[in-house]
Amino acid sequence: MNGPQPLTDNLQSLAKLADDELQAVLLEGVSRTFALTIPQLPEKLYHAVANAYLLCRIVDTIEDEVSLTAEQKKYFCAGFIQIVKTGRGAEAFAAELAPLLSEQTIPAEHCLIHLIPRVIAITHGLDGAQIQALAACVETMANGMPVYQALDLRAGLKTLKDMDDYCYYVAGCVGEMLAKLFCHYSPQIDAHREELLTLSVSFGQGLQMTNILKDIWDDAKRGVCWLPQDIFTETGFDLAELTPETDDERFRQGLEHLIGIAHGHLQNALTYTKLLPSHETGIRNFCLWALGMAVLTLKKIKQNLSFNESDQVKISRKSVKTTIAVCKLSARSNLLLTLIFNLTSRDLKTPGWQYLPKSHTGQ
């Protein structure tokens, strides 16, 4: 999708594809990770989860578009919430938004925006409970993310609570939606509904924190920092002074603390996965692959706290293949999964340190 083909040719060829094939191609264009993990799901879940990620990516595309003002982003986010809820107005919405996208938005996302009417038609072919879960997620994400457009984030977020809130809007609500879809799919999974919904938010946060830590320097180049200042105040470092040239033990100590917090969330992600029936290996692998890659990424960051480019802590293709192979072999055994997780992530904790929020943070 990123080749030299003109956009119109791409759109015409994509429009001819069957629904599942179209979603697979769009996913491959906008997220190789999810293009890899979502097909592991049972067929009844694949259709809904693939659609859900495309809806979330549409919200992301609006939020990331540099040519749109904060007001325009708020306007398009509000409009998209209504389209997902009702299934109406998708063609006019796409026609209004598509011409405003800049060249900084990747070709695959241009295609996705043009094809919003088709994506929404797929959404409204789902079961009522599935549509409700997807719409609730999109509403939370599309209402929450514009809040951060108005903030000066050059010196980070104020507190860990602020980071938790941000992670919820971009990932925790996605975790909740997936838990609802899994519960709708299986009465056996639905028996653990409340616990899964609680753990799903933590699961999402663990993955999002890993991304934030990996992408510190990419974000810094855009004048953005998602790290919480209160963690670094404790170590004596001011995030306002952060640059790719920063070589400061106090900053590295703060990073270690955040890695320890992320590890706790990934521990919850493992608990979540172990609650799923052992015979549902597709759903388990969907969760485990993401969990395994997050653990390996955190390990690389912990081993190279002085990194100043995301590529330096990116896990190799060999590591991804190994993660997939290990997960497939151990997916059915909770005991084996626990042993592997504990062995692999044992260095991520920060012994003797505990986050103690100040009373003014509201925690």
Side-chain angles (χ1 to χ4, degrees):
M1 286 183 72
N2 291 320
Q5 253 189 316
L7 183 62
T8 48
D9 289 359
N10 259 345
L11 291 171
Q12 285 170 3
S13 59
L14 286 169
K16 295 173 186 173
L17 299 175
D19 287 352
D20 278 349
E21 200 178 351
L22 173 67
Q23 293 201 133
V25 172
L26 289 174
L27 271 175
E28 181 66 39
V30 298
S31 174
R32 286 184 181 175
T33 301
F34 290 121
L36 185 71
T37 59
I38 292 175
Q40 306 313 307
L41 294 168
E43 191 179 341
K44 287 181 180 177
L45 270 172
Y46 170 83
H47 196 60
V49 175
N51 188 256
Y53 273 96
L54 293 176
L55 295 178
C56 292
R57 191 56 184 234
I58 291 165
V59 178
D60 282 341
T61 301
I62 294 168
E63 288 302 325
D64 293 342
E65 176 50 64
V66 293
S67 72
L68 297 178
T69 65
E71 277 307 306
Q72 284 177 306
K73 289 178 182 183
K74 198 172 178 182
Y75 163 77
F76 282 114
C77 280
F80 191 58
I81 290 168
Q82 292 310 309
I83 289 165
V84 175
K85 283 183 175 180
T86 65
R88 296 191 294 272
E91 289 193 9
F93 181 88
E96 187 179 1
L97 176 58
L100 301 178
L101 299 182
S102 67
E103 288 184 5
Q104 286 191 39
T105 291
I106 61 171
E109 288 176 347
H110 277 267
C111 284
L112 178 59
I113 298 302
H114 277 279
L115 290 166
I116 284 175
R118 186 76 185 277
V119 174
I120 292 295
I122 296 170
T123 307
H124 281 267
L126 301 172
D127 286 355
Q130 292 176 316
I131 297 170
Q132 208 171 0
L134 269 59
C137 175
V138 167
E139 183 168 18
T140 300
M141 185 180 277
N143 279 332
M145 287 172 69
V147 171
Y148 297 89
Q149 294 290 332
L151 300 179
D152 181 351
L153 293 167
R154 287 172 295 182
L157 295 161
K158 283 190 171 66
T159 67
L160 184 63
K161 169 68 166 62
D162 294 325
M163 186 192 211
D164 292 348
D165 290 345
Y166 172 71
C167 287
Y168 175 69
Y169 289 130
V170 297
C173 65
V174 178
E176 283 180 326
M177 172 193 64
L178 289 170
K180 289 174 188 174
L181 292 176
F182 295 165
C183 288
H184 174 264
Y185 163 78
S186 160
Q188 204 175 344
I189 296 174
D190 194 44
H192 300 286
R193 185 182 183 88
E194 292 311 312
E195 195 175 353
L196 287 170
L197 281 170
T198 301
L199 290 168
S200 67
V201 175
S202 189
F203 195 152
Q205 176 149 357
L207 299 182
Q208 187 61 30
M209 281 187 75
T210 302
N211 284 335
I212 287 171
L213 293 170
K214 173 176 66 72
D215 295 334
I216 289 168
W217 306 115
D218 292 346
D219 290 334
K221 285 172 189 169
R222 300 185 294 112
V224 172
C225 178
W226 296 107
L227 304 176
Q229 178 58 60
D230 64 342
I231 292 287
F232 294 89
T233 300
E234 190 181 307
T235 66
F237 184 79
D238 184 353
L239 287 176
E241 297 171 8
L242 187 64
T243 71
E245 288 74 44
T246 295
D247 181 10
D248 194 307
E249 186 55 40
R250 297 168 302 170
F251 175 68
R252 290 190 284 272
Q253 192 181 352
L255 276 190
E256 282 190 316
H257 292 170
L258 285 172
I259 289 168
I261 293 168
H263 171 268
H265 287 296
L266 294 181
Q267 185 97 50
N268 287 338
L270 178 67
T271 303
Y272 174 101
T273 307
K274 291 193 297 185
L275 284 172
L276 301 169
S278 59
H279 67 270
E280 293 288 2
T281 52
I283 306 178
R284 280 191 166 215
N285 276 316
F286 171 79
C287 296
L288 289 169
W289 293 9
L291 172 55
M293 287 186 265
V295 168
L296 292 185
T297 302
L298 288 179
K299 276 174 71 77
K300 287 204 81 167
I301 296 170
K302 184 78 179 262
Q303 289 160 3
N304 185 14
L305 291 168
S306 299
F307 81 104
N308 57 13
E309 284 184 20
S310 58
D311 282 351
Q312 295 167 0
V313 292
K314 192 175 178 182
I315 60 173
S316 66
R317 286 187 179 182
K318 185 181 177 184
S319 292
V320 172
K321 286 180 181 177
T322 304
T323 300
I324 290 170
V326 170
C327 290
K328 282 184 173 179
L329 288 170
S330 56
R332 288 176 178 267
S333 170
N334 284 355
L335 178 62
L336 203 50
L337 289 173
T338 302
L339 286 171
I340 292 166
F341 179 86
N342 289 343
L343 185 68
T344 312
S345 68
R346 66 188 185 280
D347 298 330
L348 300 179
K349 297 178 185 177
T350 312
W353 178 81
Q354 188 179 358
Y355 176 67
L356 296 171
K358 302 287 188 293
S359 58
H360 68 265
T361 64
Q363 288 193 359

